Amino acid sequence: MTTSGKEFFPEIGKIKYEGKDSKNPYAFRYYDKDLMVGEKTLGKWLKFSIAYWHSFGNISSDPFGKATKALPWLYHNDSVKVAYNKADAAFELMAKLGIDHYCFHDFDLIDEGDDLTESEVRLQIISDYLLEKQNEMGIRPLWGTANLFSHPRYMNGAATNPDFHVLASAGAQVKNALDVSIKLNAENFVFWGGREGYMSIINTSTKIEKENLARFLSVCRDYGRKNGFKGTFFIEPKPMEPCKHQYDYDVETVLGFLYKYKLEKDFKLNVEVNHATLAGHTFEHELQMAYDNNMLGSIDANRGDMQNGWDTDQFPIDIFELTHAMLIILENGGIVDGGVNFDAKTRRDSTDLEDLIIAHIAGMDAFARATIAAYRILTESNYAEWKRNRYQSYSKGLGKDFSDGKLDLEDLKDFALEHGEPLQISGKQERFEQLISMFI
Ligand code: XUL
Ligand code: CO
């Protein structure tokens, strides 16, 4: 069912898997959805999702220039008509790519109204339409979220705003976004705190703001649970941009916050590659910190530009980087609650619709190739054993006693005295790194 009755991507059909020797840019070379990789298919390891805002709303204006992208579904002066067209374009592309999840902000689906009531009506209308399309095509949201950063009212933050009136408005917006997410059967719900932070500490009470943020998240959680939302809430860390400093700086900062305010049972982390880079970490680091605490919820797939410090949100294409990340994901049993959301955009000068399609095909293929390589590293090489062996001294003798909490500081001294200077043991970084290139 479409309202326009037309296709937005008429030149392309369903993208098929053709194998690695194919030179067809409109085919997968590695992403064979049904290929078994260990106990799961590739499709299950990589629950791909399309980002509604980047792929169907981003017209590539920047601080230096006007929009460059003329997206055909956006051309109408009626907001509802635009929203229907956008949904038609999104579902057509998802079906052609074989992606059955999408992620959205409330006002990606339809423009915000002039007041709360009008926004609510608009969300009702578009979610009725989306639900019909979902049922017809077997597609559902991986997560929904509320855009608490674009409207000028949020210039000083949403849940961390010094003014309670703004916090309450943000609450109203999250309530509606949660209602829509529940109605659309969204698997999870995200909070990304783009303006939850400060521009200067000179005029900011970080203590009040963080306590309010925790209370805000608790009431959102309570409302969701009371109204039948069974999924997981995710916090998406990012250190800066648009704020100078954002409270959800990185995975470990968010974990400290969640444990402090006892939110860890309902909330996990949505880890984004480019946000890790901005925090001065690798993506692997952020994944590992989340997994170490059993708190990895989902990932936003993209990559930054290593020559600058912006959130460029480029499509993921670096196989080495991805293989390392997939190694961690596979070692830890996969992504349980969420999936792989392409929070990525084509360049400002990539103005053909084809660019959007190719970007997704190449990104999906890169992830598939990395998953297969990571699985082979884990099953055909000594990687896991090498890593385990570095810690073998803690599995026997006094090392084990220490791990079991049986030794005190004096015991450590006695051991050190008895055994003299420790031998040098190489960390073997080069050998570990070489493995990745052997298998990709
Ligand atoms: C911004 C970002 C957001 C979140 C959802 O950097 O990543 O799009 O993923 O609000
Ligand atoms: Co993101």
Side-chain angles (χ1 to χ4, degrees):
M1 179 192 66
T2 64
T3 56
S4 53
K6 66 170 183 194
E7 286 187 60
F8 288 104
F9 307 94
E11 302 82 26
I12 62 156
K14 176 121 180 115
I15 306 299
K16 298 196 189 73
Y17 166 73
E18 290 185 1
K20 74 175 169 49
D21 295 326
S22 171
K23 296 285 178 284
N24 177 4
Y26 288 102
F28 296 120
R29 298 167 63 245
Y30 293 90
Y31 185 61
D32 174 6
K33 200 174 184 165
D34 300 319
L35 179 76
M36 289 302 290
V37 178
E39 79 274 20
K40 280 193 264 191
T41 59
L42 258 185
K44 289 252 159 22
W45 283 114
L46 302 169
K47 205 161 74 185
F48 287 124
S49 157
I50 211 156
Y52 221 85
W53 56 99
H54 280 316
S55 294
F56 307 105
N58 172 31
I59 48 175
S60 286
S61 51
D62 73 10
F64 304 94
K66 290 185 184 163
T68 56
K69 288 188 170 64
L71 302 177
W73 48 89
L74 298 184
Y75 285 92
H76 209 284
N77 38 27
D78 173 27
S79 285
V80 176
K81 187 74 189 139
V82 169
Y84 283 152
N85 279 349
K86 215 176 181 186
D88 290 344
F91 278 68
E92 183 190 331
L93 189 61
M94 283 189 275
K96 288 182 170 171
L97 288 168
I99 292 184
D100 44 24
H101 287 83
Y102 67 103
C103 292
F104 68 87
H105 301 84
D106 41 4
F107 301 127
D108 299 331
L109 302 180
I110 192 158
D111 289 343
E112 185 167 5
D114 288 336
D115 58 31
L116 198 53
T117 312
E118 194 190 336
S119 294
E120 242 173 71
V121 172
R122 287 188 179 191
L123 286 171
Q124 278 293 343
I125 296 174
I126 192 61
S127 54
D128 285 346
Y129 186 60
L130 286 164
L131 196 55
E132 271 182 60
K133 291 189 84 81
Q134 286 188 190
N135 291 339
E136 186 186 305
M137 297 169 74
I139 287 174
R140 68 187 281 201
L142 185 68
W143 48 259
T145 185
N147 179 332
L148 301 177
F149 45 90
S150 293
H151 195 283
R153 81 173 74 88
Y154 299 126
M155 66 181 185
N156 287 312
T160 60
N161 200 292
D163 179 10
F164 171 69
H165 193 156
V166 179
L167 181 145
S169 304
Q173 206 185 311
V174 172
K175 181 193 170 298
N176 288 339
L178 264 168
D179 288 343
V180 169
S181 300
I182 293 169
K183 173 171 167 184
L184 295 178
N185 206 12
E187 294 182 16
N188 305 283
F189 192 85
V190 160
F191 291 89
W192 169 64
R195 298 204 193 266
E196 313 294 23
Y198 60 76
M199 299 310 284
S200 169
I201 207 146
I202 201 165
N203 61 357
T204 305
S205 168
T206 54
K207 188 163 181 332
I208 296 178
E209 294 196 2
K210 283 196 258 185
E211 280 171 0
N212 283 344
L213 178 59
R215 244 173 249 126
F216 185 85
L217 294 173
S218 308
V219 298
C220 294
R221 185 256 334 259
D222 294 346
Y223 177 82
R225 293 298 181 231
K226 194 173 74 189
N227 287 280
F229 178 65
K230 301 234 164 21
T232 307
F233 294 96
F234 299 147
I235 306 270
E236 185 176 322
K238 187 176 180 181
M240 66 196 85
E241 198 206 25
C243 280
K244 169 193 160 56
H245 173 89
Q246 276 156 223
Y247 295 134
D248 301 328
Y249 198 92
D250 61 0
V251 168
E252 291 203 287
T253 309
V254 174
L255 286 176
F257 174 87
L258 292 176
Y259 291 125
K260 175 169 178 187
Y261 292 104
K262 305 196 172 25
L263 291 163
E264 76 278 7
K265 293 210 167 46
D266 298 277
F267 286 79
K268 286 187 178 170
L269 281 298
N270 182 35
V271 177
E272 176 165 328
V273 186
N274 206 162
H275 297 180
T277 320
L278 292 179
H281 300 309
T282 59
F283 181 44
E284 303 86 81
H285 167 92
E286 290 291 79
L287 286 174
Q288 194 65 63
M289 294 309 104
Y291 273 125
D292 285 351
N293 293 280
N294 204 14
M295 290 291 267
L296 194 274
S298 197
I299 66 173
D300 269 9
N302 58 26
R303 67 189 303 259
D305 184 307
M306 294 309 153
Q307 271 75 53
N308 64 33
W310 309 329
D311 192 17
T312 55
D313 284 349
Q314 300 171 94
F315 271 82
I317 201 75
D318 184 322
I319 308 288
F320 190 93
E321 198 175 87
L322 286 173
T323 304
H324 195 171
M326 287 313 301
L327 203 48
I328 293 170
I329 291 174
L330 263 57
E331 263 187 305
N332 288 280
I335 304 170
V336 179
D337 308 82
V340 180
N341 172 46
F342 284 112
D343 193 353
K345 60 188 179 211
T346 54
R347 304 299 84 205
R348 187 168 191 268
D349 56 336
S350 300
T351 47
D352 294 341
L353 280 187
E354 165 184 272
D355 304 324
L356 180 65
I357 301 159
I358 300 284
H360 281 92
I361 296 173
M364 291 164 79
D365 250 352
F367 260 92
R369 185 171 175 186
T371 307
I372 295 165
Y375 180 74
R376 290 188 55 216
I377 292 171
L378 287 173
T379 53
E380 295 173 28
S381 83
N382 294 328
Y383 167 79
E385 190 189 335
W386 291 349
K387 202 161 148 180
R388 225 180 15 253
N389 282 348
R390 292 194 71 210
Y391 301 89
Q392 61 178 337
S393 61
Y394 293 96
S395 55
K396 55 182 190 291
L398 285 185
K400 175 148 192 339
D401 288 348
F402 176 76
S403 302
D404 294 342
K406 292 184 188 153
L407 301 191
D408 61 21
L409 197 57
E410 283 145 329
D411 296 327
L412 297 184
K413 183 187 170 193
D414 292 345
F415 182 93
L417 263 182
E418 191 184 326
H419 290 82
E421 189 58 27
L423 292 177
Q424 265 187 350
I425 305 175
S426 171
K428 294 282 176 203
Q429 184 176 334
E430 294 74 12
R431 193 161 74 160
F432 278 92
E433 286 172 348
Q434 184 192 42
L435 262 188
I436 293 188
S437 41
M438 274 183 192
F439 283 88
I440 58 182

